[in-house]
Each structure stands twice: as structure tokens, then as C-alpha cells.
Amino acid sequence: MRAALAAAADPQRAPGMQAYMNSEMPYRGISAPDMRAITRQVFAAHALAGCDEWRVAVLELWREARFREERYAAIELLGDRRHKDCRTPAMLPVYEELITTGAWWDYVDGVAGHVGNLLRLYPQEVRAAMRAWSTDQDMWKRRVSIICQVSFKKDTDLDLLYANIEPNLDDRRFFIRKAIGWALRAYAWTDPEEVARYVAANEARMSGLSKREALKNVVPRSRPAPQPCAQAALRKDILIAPLKGRGGKRQ
């Protein structure tokens, strides 16, 4: 994997990627689509014998990484379909190591998706772990406990989501405030009225950032329907806005 990534390196792109991510670890300068293609090829060409070998490979890629893409490859290997039967609650300590030693949103959010998949498969065991993570001293474990269900939609365990948000409502660290808003915003696609109710009930403790994010998918009931001319202007804005370019990092 390291040899394949080195062969695909783009030294012209690497400094900008490192600066954007504010990363001490350098980049090879490989785009995300190219990263995915490389990892698929390497995983297919170098089969791993079983769960133990797979887990060791993940940790060796992660621990011995000298470039950020090598750690991205470790996260990709977590999701490789050839090892789906290896993804059990016994992997939680591995996820935890990647979260706490990665300690930045690109790594943490990538691992959070795998934690969420584990929650779907083993709700009782992983639910207990997420409850514990929601009050952990490590901020990133708290973040994962909040965002691990962002793709669940109607399958969201709302009691778990609210229970994990509760001990973090007074936290004013950006990545916690953003996580709360992101998780609620994702659930608002399923039940916007419930999200509006929850925000109203907890408005005194919730940060402005969390509230704004949570309510992005909630249309106020008092909002009047657009008039024909306003609808035309809205369509014009939608067509033009992408041409202006809207920057901004992930959640």
C-alpha cells in the first residue's frame, strides 16, 4: 500500500492539502477518487488470511504511517467488504485507538461511520459503549457518540441520540457544537417537527451554532409561501449560486 501511494504521489498538490487540513503529517498529494481506486486495487491483490491478519494490517498502516493518505488507507481497510464478518464489538478498541490518536475531524468522522455500522449490527453492546463515550474526557470520542447515527434516518435511535447530546449541551468547543447541530440536522430530514421541538425545549443550553445547524432542514410554520415573482428569483439564485463557489470545510 505504501509503495502504491508513493507511486501515485503529486508533490504539487501535497503542500496545499497539508495546509488545508492543518496537518503536521505530510501528504502524498493524492485525490480522494484516486485514493479509493488505489486501495481497491491493493486490497484485491493482497488478500488477508483472516480477521486477525486484517486487524493487524489496519493497525500497522495506521501506526507506522508517515503520510496522511496511509492513515486514510487504514480507514478504507476497515470497510473492506471481504472482512465484513470481522466487524464485531471486539473491534471497538481499534476504532477507539484510531479516534483518539487521529484526533482530527477527517480521521474521526471517517471512523464514526464504521462505529455507526457496528451499532446497527450490535445495538445492545455498541449502545452501551456510545453512552460511555458521550461523557469521556476525550472530545473526539464524545463527537463520535453524537454523529455515529447521521446516516440512519428513520432507523435513528432517538433516545440514544438525545442521551448522548445531553451531557454535551453546555460544551462550547466547536467540534462538539457542530456535531450536535449536524446530528439533529440529519434527523430533521426524517422528522423536522421533532427536531424543532427538541431545539425549542433545549434552547437555553444549546449554542447558537448547534441551533442554526439543527434547524437548517426545518421550515418555520409561519413562513409564507413564496409568491410567483419570488419563486422566479429563488430559481435564479439556485442556478447562479453554484457558479459563485461556496467554500467551507466538512462538519
Side-chain angles (χ1 to χ4, degrees), residues 36-109:
R36 287 191 288 271
I38 291 167
T39 56
R40 284 196 300 267
Q41 292 168 3
V42 174
F43 297 159
H46 299 275
L48 298 170
C51 294
D52 288 342
E53 191 172 346
W54 167 70
R55 184 175 60 255
V56 167
V58 169
L59 290 173
E60 285 189 359
L61 273 172
W62 183 269
R63 292 170 178 171
E64 299 174 11
R66 296 295 177 267
F67 294 87
R68 207 167 183 91
E69 287 92 343
E70 294 171 12
R71 286 191 159 182
Y72 294 156
I75 296 174
E76 287 292 319
L77 185 54
L78 284 177
D80 184 52
R81 58 181 175 79
R82 284 169 283 263
H83 307 286
K84 62 181 181 180
D85 293 337
C86 301
R87 295 193 282 271
T88 70
M91 281 297 292
L92 276 173
V94 175
Y95 295 160
E96 184 177 0
E97 177 176 337
L98 271 54
I99 290 164
T100 57
T101 59
W104 199 238
W105 65 263
D106 56 336
Y107 293 146
V108 170
D109 293 4

Side-chain angles (χ1 to χ4, degrees), residues 14-53:
M17 294 172 72
Q18 183 175 357
Y20 174 82
M21 198 53 66
N22 193 25
S23 173
E24 293 184 3
M25 186 179 290
Y27 273 83
R28 286 292 192 187
I30 304 172
S31 69
D34 288 344
M35 268 293 307
R36 287 191 288 271
I38 291 167
T39 56
R40 284 196 300 267
Q41 292 168 3
V42 174
F43 297 159
H46 299 275
L48 298 170
C51 294
D52 288 342
E53 191 172 346

Side-chain angles (χ1 to χ4, degrees), residues 133-204:
W133 285 18
S134 73
T135 58
D136 196 274
Q137 290 185 349
D138 186 90
M139 176 185 73
W140 300 104
K141 289 171 67 176
R142 287 176 177 249
R143 178 174 169 90
V144 170
S145 77
I146 296 167
I147 67 171
C148 63
Q149 297 189 80
V150 291
S151 66
F152 283 27
K153 299 181 180 178
K154 64 180 179 60
D155 295 326
T156 300
D157 181 341
L158 201 56
D159 289 339
L160 176 61
L161 176 60
Y162 289 166
N164 289 351
I165 288 176
E166 168 60 29
N168 294 286
L169 277 173
D170 297 315
D171 195 312
R172 289 302 180 259
R173 288 174 292 186
F174 172 81
F175 286 105
I176 296 297
R177 292 183 291 139
K178 192 76 171 181
I180 292 170
W182 182 15
L184 293 171
R185 185 180 82 222
Y187 186 67
W189 287 113
T190 297
D191 192 344
E193 291 187 356
E194 170 57 24
V195 171
R197 182 207 65 78
Y198 180 83
V199 170
N202 294 277
E203 189 169 10

